[in-house]
């Protein structure tokens, strides 16, 4: 049979358990705005009963180790989507700056191209006119400087992206060190069978940040979580972090190295993925298109000028500085080679008043001289490519944003702290505490009765 | 807890919805301000590319129109010059007919010859008409086309060439803008200067009616030739006018096309803006109420 002191200790245990539960509630309420915090639900468990003969007596309640409420699979999905989001937003940000080179209507390459052909057409109505010849040279020089400015701006932007790459890489190294450290703390606590929830939340936040920067794969191991890039480069193994380093290549662009291996081309998610895609693929391809355009125009105009005679009756020389033989860098170095307007070879018969050769200039506008296309349709395609990249990127970014938001809602519905819920729990724990306290008072009175029984 | 738990923190969702609406608001405002739906290539990549060629065609049409104005001046000058030449030759013919009249004295014939010499000078000066500093009957050689000199039989030497300039006034449409002086004034069998010079000589030499009459018919040939040359300029001017009308209507079409590719639908955009503003207000008022109360507020 049970005794009163056992009942007293049972009630005291209940008081402690309810108080502990209230502490969890307090902690949940305190962390209502903490990023990555997973709410904790107090786990009450009935104590093992005591069996005395035919009777079984309960021995009260105790609070079990409280675990954070989380869904690890959902957490993985959030990390993946954060990586996609990081990649797309870096891509779109960078491409929007690229696009600005091609948006300035009224002063863009297309307008300058039309202006050059217009000036040639004007000259044909009065081929000996020096002011009209000067207008052709001015239009040619405007076109050359617009193309070379665009090319130089793209190169400058590449250098800026380079800076962002270095910064992102050093952030990655900082995060991997922190994750390795937290891994150690989690392992230590779990070895003691203690609650590591706080550190797991912390690690989830850190891995999330890391996913926003670089592609991350998770492997659960004995010593905690190991992180690698998607192609298997180790970032964190248990308590050990592997730092990434950067080294400039021949053209001055930072390449990313992991333990001596160049992994630059293998990164395709997170901020680094987006930055590298613009720096190493989009901008070089645009630069090469501009080179093709610049080289094509320069060569075609030089050839047209060479097929006629200038105002002095001489065979025409180069109008544009001849592009490099490889074509590489043609856009950045595009420039007009002559300053004397008399040197434009308008004449086809050597007479000053002839405009016969200007038809060769005008024909360039409708000839497929730039990569099999006319100058203007080549430029229109370039505009389409840039616009399409930005518009697709933005659409994907918005889609990924919606997915991420939904995942986070889902996480919130599982792990987020609800103040209503906490308030209701608080009332519940308080009532139970009050009741247990009432039991203690009652047992106390009964004990008093028993003691007084002896003295009277 | 078996009931469905909702995400207790919906502020981030509302914030992102608010940002999206603000973005729509900004886009509509920009479209209204520029009148254009395509303010950067990404707004409509295919449309932006189409606008590049539309702008090119429009600039080309503008350029052709400017060329037309410029060469129209030159053609008009040539045409009115030839009209003066025709008048001068008419006068020369009537003087020649007068000179062939047997009742005329030698002195009278000398007077007629003197007047014809004046007409010859006038014709040389007409043939040397220039437009914007360039001689218009010199072919493509812009030096003085006709020089009075005693070396040639007609007393006038052509210094120009036979070059013809073509000016592009439309896509794949070029127009010849000059006739060389050798073709207009000194064509074999219809040489203006030779005919006048021959007429002067027959009159001065009192060569007799039949010789004078044959010299007059020579001038008459030249007259017919100049009249037929004038047709070239008249035709060219007509063609230019037609092309000018075509280009002007093409520009209207191009601008309508540009508008349908990239123009903002002002009414719809204004309505969108209005809607975004309403949505922003609604979202703001929702956000200001969210999370204000919880069960804690009701516990005493």
């Amino acid at each position: 049979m049970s005794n009163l002191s056992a009942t007293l200790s049972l009630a005291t245990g209940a008081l402690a358990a309810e108080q502990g539960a209230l502490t969890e509630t307090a902690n949940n309420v305190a962390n209502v705005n903490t990023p990555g915090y997973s709410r904790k639900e107090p786990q009450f468990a009935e104590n093992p009963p005591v069996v005395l003969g035919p009777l079984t007596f309960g021995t009260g309640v105790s609070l079990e180790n409280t675990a954070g409420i989380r869904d690890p699979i959902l957490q993985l999905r959030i990390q993946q989507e954060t990586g996609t989001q990081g990649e797309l937003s870096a891509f779109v940000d960078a491409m929007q700056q690229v696009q600005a080179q091609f948006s300035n209507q009224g002063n863009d390459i297309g307008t300058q191209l039309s202006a050059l052909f217009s000036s040639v057409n004007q000259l044909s109505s009065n081929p000996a006119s020096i002011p009209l010849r000067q207008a052709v040279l001015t239009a040619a020089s405007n076109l050359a400087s617009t193309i070379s400015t665009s090319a130089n701006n793209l190169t400058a932007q590449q250098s800026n992206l380079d800076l962002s790459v270095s910064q992102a890489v050093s952030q990655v190294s900082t995060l991997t060190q922190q994750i390795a450290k937290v891994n150690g703390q989690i392992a230590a606590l779990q070895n003691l069978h203690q609650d590591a929830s706080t550190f797991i939340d912390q690690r989830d936040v850190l891995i999330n940040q890391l996913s926003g920067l670089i592609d991350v794969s998770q492997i659960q191991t004995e010593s905690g979580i190991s992180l690698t890039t998607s192609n298997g480069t180790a970032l964190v193994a248990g308590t050990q972090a592997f730092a990434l380093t950067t080294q400039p290549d021949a053209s001055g662009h930072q390449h990313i190295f992991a333990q001596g291996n160049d992994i630059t081309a293998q990164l395709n998610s997170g901020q680094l993925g987006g930055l590298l895609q613009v720096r190493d693929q989009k901008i070089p391809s645009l630069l090469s298109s501009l080179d093709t355009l610049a080289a094509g125009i320069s060569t075609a105009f030089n050839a047209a000028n060479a097929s006629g005679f200038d105002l002095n009756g001489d065979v025409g020389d180069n109008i544009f500085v001849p592009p490099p033989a490889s074509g590489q860098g043609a856009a950045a170095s595009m420039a007009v080679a002559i300053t004397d307007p008399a040197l434009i070879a308008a004449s086809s018969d050597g007479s000053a008043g002839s405009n016969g050769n200007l038809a060769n200039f005008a024909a360039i506008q409708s000839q497929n001289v730039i990569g099999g296309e006319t100058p203007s349709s080549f430029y229109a395609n370039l505009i389409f490519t840039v616009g399409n990249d930005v518009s697709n990127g933005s659409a994907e970014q918005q889609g990924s944003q919606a997915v991420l938001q939904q995942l986070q809602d889902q996480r919130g519905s599982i792990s987020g702290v609800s103040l209503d819920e906490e308030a209701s729990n608080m009332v519940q724990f308080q009532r139970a505490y009050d009741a247990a306290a009432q039991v203690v008072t009652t047992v106390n009175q009964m004990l008093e009765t028993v003691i007084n029984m002896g003295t009277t | 807890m078996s009931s469905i738990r909702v995400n207790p923190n919906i502020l981030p969702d509302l914030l992102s919805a608010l940002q999206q609406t603000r973005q729509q608001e900004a886009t509509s405002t920009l479209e209204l301000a520029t009148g254009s739906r395509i303010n950067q290539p990404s707004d409509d990549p295919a449309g932006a590319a189409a606008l590049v060629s539309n702008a090119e065609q429009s600039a080309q049409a503008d350029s052709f129109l400017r060329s037309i104005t410029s060469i129209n001046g030159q053609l008009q000058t040539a045409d009115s010059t030839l009209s003066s030449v025709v008048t001068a030759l008419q006068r020369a013919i009537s003087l020649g007919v007068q000179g062939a009249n047997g009742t005329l004295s030698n002195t009278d014939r000398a007077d007629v010859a003197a007047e014809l010499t004046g007409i010859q000078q006038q014709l040389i000066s007409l043939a040397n008409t220039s437009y914007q500093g360039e001689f218009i009957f010199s072919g493509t050689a812009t030096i003085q086309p006709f020089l009075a000199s005693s070396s040639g039989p007609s007393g006038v030497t052509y210094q120009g060439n036979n070059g013809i300039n073509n000016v592009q006034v439309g896509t794949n449409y070029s127009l010849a803008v000059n006739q060389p002086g050798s073709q207009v004034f000194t064509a074999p069998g219809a040489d203006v200067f030779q005919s006048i010079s021959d007429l002067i000589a027959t009159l001065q030499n009192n060569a007799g009616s039949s010789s004078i009459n044959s010299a007059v018919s020579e001038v008459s040939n030249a007259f017919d030739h100049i009249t037929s040359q004038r047709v070239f300029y008249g035709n060219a001017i007509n063609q230019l006018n037609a092309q000018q009308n075509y280009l002007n209507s093409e520009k209207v079409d191009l601008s309508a096309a540009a508008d349908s590719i990239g123009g903002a639908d002002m009414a719809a955009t204004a309505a969108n803006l209005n809607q975004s503003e309403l949505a922003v207000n609604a979202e703001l008022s929702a956000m200001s109420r969210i999370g204000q109360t919880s069960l804690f507020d009701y516990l005493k």
Side-chain angles (χ1 to χ4, degrees):
Chain A
M1 86 163 264
S2 172
N3 59 42
L4 278 177
S5 64
T7 310
L8 189 62
S9 99
L10 185 154
T12 319
L15 282 177
E18 298 303 336
Q19 198 191 323
L22 200 63
T23 310
E24 294 297 357
T25 299
N27 193 44
N28 282 344
V29 170
N31 283 296
V32 66
N33 288 324
T34 308
Y37 179 76
S38 302
R39 75 192 164 93
K40 284 163 198 161
E41 230 171 44
Q43 305 286 332
F44 293 105
E46 192 182 353
N47 288 341
V50 174
V51 180
L52 287 173
L55 295 175
T56 305
F57 295 96
T59 58
V61 69
S62 56
L63 203 55
E64 297 218 315
N65 217 343
T66 50
I69 310 284
R70 60 171 67 81
D71 179 346
I73 303 298
L74 183 62
Q75 198 59 37
L76 271 180
R77 285 282 296 117
I78 290 179
Q79 282 157 13
Q80 282 164 359
E81 207 54 48
T82 306
T84 310
Q85 182 64 19
E87 179 216 336
L88 289 170
S89 72
F91 177 81
V92 169
D93 282 356
M95 281 308 287
Q96 254 161 358
Q97 289 176 37
V98 168
Q99 170 173 256
Q101 300 300 321
F102 303 97
S103 306
N104 190 1
Q105 283 168 0
N107 192 32
D108 66 341
I109 294 172
T111 315
Q112 304 288 5
L113 209 55
S114 293
L116 176 57
F117 288 112
S118 291
S119 72
V120 169
N121 188 250
Q122 299 314 299
L123 179 58
S124 74
S125 66
N126 192 357
S129 159
I130 294 295
L132 289 181
R133 285 168 168 267
Q134 187 59 56
V136 173
L137 280 191
T138 307
S141 137
N142 285 345
L143 175 64
S145 73
T146 305
I147 291 181
S148 77
T149 306
S150 297
N152 289 332
N153 285 346
L154 287 179
T155 312
Q157 219 192 317
Q158 237 175 344
S159 312
N160 291 343
L161 290 175
D162 231 25
L163 207 64
S164 308
V165 166
S166 303
Q167 285 168 348
V169 166
S170 76
Q171 275 177 300
V172 165
S173 296
T174 310
L175 284 171
T176 49
Q177 270 169 23
Q178 288 174 338
I179 292 168
K181 208 161 134 192
V182 175
N183 256 349
Q185 286 161 323
I186 292 171
L189 282 171
Q190 280 175 343
N191 284 342
L192 299 172
H193 300 290
Q194 281 179 354
D195 174 31
S197 182
T198 309
F199 294 108
I200 292 175
D201 283 348
Q202 219 179 70
R203 185 176 62 189
D204 281 343
V205 170
L206 290 171
I207 295 178
N208 229 4
Q209 287 176 0
L210 188 67
S211 306
L213 292 170
I214 195 169
D215 44 349
V216 176
S217 293
Q218 278 195 34
I219 306 158
Q220 189 79 44
T221 62
E222 286 290 311
S223 54
I225 276 179
S226 284
L227 302 177
T228 64
T229 65
S230 56
N231 72 309
T233 304
L235 295 170
V236 177
T239 55
Q240 199 185 355
F242 300 95
L244 300 182
T245 55
T246 54
Q247 261 174 40
D249 67 1
S251 54
H253 294 152
Q254 296 291 348
H255 278 231
I256 301 164
F257 287 84
Q259 294 126 63
N261 297 322
D262 187 346
I263 59 164
T264 315
Q266 297 156 358
L267 300 176
N268 45 32
S269 172
Q271 194 192 348
L272 278 171
L275 291 172
L276 292 171
Q277 200 188 344
V278 176
R279 189 196 73 179
D280 295 344
Q281 288 164 34
K282 294 299 172 187
I283 293 186
S285 133
L286 282 173
L287 277 174
S288 127
S289 290
L290 283 180
D291 283 345
T292 309
L293 183 67
I297 291 173
S298 300
T299 310
F301 271 83
N302 288 349
N305 211 46
S307 64
F309 301 91
D310 62 21
L311 215 44
N312 309 321
D314 299 325
V315 171
D317 206 346
N318 287 330
I319 286 195
F320 288 103
V321 175
S326 68
Q328 210 181 357
S333 63
M334 190 179 186
V336 171
I338 53 174
T339 52
D340 181 1
L343 297 181
I344 295 172
S347 169
S348 54
D349 60 7
S351 315
S354 161
N355 72 1
N357 192 43
L358 288 176
N360 289 326
F361 288 85
I364 296 170
Q365 189 167 18
S366 51
Q367 279 170 356
N368 298 333
V369 289
I370 322 282
E373 290 176 274
T374 68
S376 127
S377 68
F378 184 88
Y379 180 69
N381 280 348
L382 198 129
I383 291 284
F384 175 80
T385 310
V386 173
N388 207 35
D389 279 343
V390 177
S391 130
N392 281 349
S394 303
E396 281 177 41
Q397 189 193 3
Q398 272 169 21
S400 144
Q401 178 72 49
V403 170
L404 187 57
Q405 204 172 310
Q406 207 179 346
L407 289 172
Q408 259 152 0
D409 275 353
Q410 217 177 330
R411 186 197 177 276
S413 75
I414 294 170
S415 307
V417 175
S418 153
L419 289 179
D420 294 333
E421 194 177 78
E422 300 307 327
S424 123
N425 284 346
M426 193 181 77
V427 172
Q428 200 186 338
F429 301 148
Q430 195 189 355
R431 292 267 180 276
Y433 188 88
D434 286 350
Q438 195 60 54
V439 171
V440 171
T441 312
T442 309
V443 171
N444 189 29
Q445 281 168 358
M446 288 165 76
L447 278 171
E448 212 168 297
T449 312
V450 170
I451 290 163
N452 287 344
M453 214 162 65
T455 56
T456 48
Chain B
M1 286 280 161
S2 59
S3 64
I4 294 169
R5 230 176 155 265
V6 294
N7 181 13
N9 187 8
I10 58 169
L11 269 177
D13 289 8
L14 288 174
L15 195 62
S16 123
L18 180 65
Q19 277 164 346
Q20 228 162 33
T21 319
R22 290 248 195 241
Q23 180 63 47
Q24 280 163 6
E25 204 181 2
T27 308
S28 298
T29 310
L30 181 66
E31 284 182 9
L32 279 181
T34 59
S36 173
R37 185 172 68 71
I38 304 177
N39 292 297
Q40 47 190 3
S42 60
D43 291 339
D44 176 356
L51 282 181
V52 170
S53 52
N54 182 287
E56 185 202 24
Q57 282 175 295
S58 172
Q60 229 176 5
D62 276 334
S63 161
F64 292 149
L65 281 169
R66 280 202 300 276
S67 291
I68 286 176
T69 310
S70 166
I71 58 179
N72 204 26
Q74 184 185 334
L75 292 170
Q76 297 277 7
T77 307
D79 188 54
S80 71
T81 303
L82 291 188
S83 153
S84 304
V85 170
V86 165
T87 313
L89 288 178
Q90 269 169 342
R91 175 70 186 146
I93 290 168
S94 73
L95 282 173
V97 170
Q98 194 188 329
N101 189 334
T103 62
L104 231 58
S105 71
N106 287 353
T107 328
D108 292 337
R109 287 211 178 82
D111 287 345
V112 171
E115 189 176 346
L116 281 169
T117 310
I119 288 174
Q120 181 81 314
Q121 297 300 324
Q122 189 200 347
L123 285 171
I124 294 174
S125 137
L126 284 171
N128 282 336
T129 302
S130 69
Y131 180 74
Q132 288 182 344
E134 311 294 325
F135 292 99
I136 56 180
F137 297 111
S138 64
T140 59
T142 50
I143 46 170
Q144 181 184 352
F146 292 97
L147 187 69
S149 74
S150 50
S151 63
S154 69
V156 177
T157 316
Y158 181 55
Q159 294 181 301
N161 62 13
N162 294 328
I164 293 174
N165 274 340
N166 291 290
V167 172
Q168 204 185 353
V169 292
T171 319
N172 298 323
Y173 179 22
S174 292
L175 205 65
V177 296
N178 70 308
Q179 294 282 75
S182 52
Q183 188 188 322
V184 179
F185 291 97
T186 53
D191 187 326
V192 172
F193 305 117
Q194 185 68 55
S195 68
I196 301 287
S197 155
D198 287 350
L199 183 57
I200 292 171
T202 52
L203 287 167
Q204 279 173 341
N205 298 338
N206 292 315
S209 300
S210 68
S211 297
I212 295 174
N213 277 332
S214 105
V216 167
S217 72
E218 217 185 304
V219 175
S220 183
N221 280 345
F223 171 86
D224 291 344
H225 180 69
I226 290 287
T227 311
S228 74
Q229 290 295 307
R230 249 190 98 183
V231 172
F232 163 83
Y233 289 97
N235 280 345
I237 290 168
N238 284 341
Q239 279 175 301
L240 280 188
N241 285 339
Q243 179 66 3
Q244 193 168 25
N245 289 338
Y246 168 74
L247 287 171
N248 278 326
S249 76
E250 191 195 11
K251 278 195 65 183
V252 172
D253 292 347
L254 282 171
S255 125
D259 200 49
S260 80
I261 296 169
D265 178 346
M266 291 309 221
T269 312
N272 285 345
L273 180 61
N274 215 359
Q275 242 168 10
S276 318
E277 276 165 355
L278 279 176
V280 165
N281 283 335
E283 279 159 5
L284 284 176
S285 101
M287 284 175 80
S288 67
R289 282 187 198 143
I290 277 292
Q292 270 182 352
T293 54
S294 74
L295 183 54
F296 281 107
D297 298 307
Y298 296 90
L299 297 179
K300 293 272 169 351

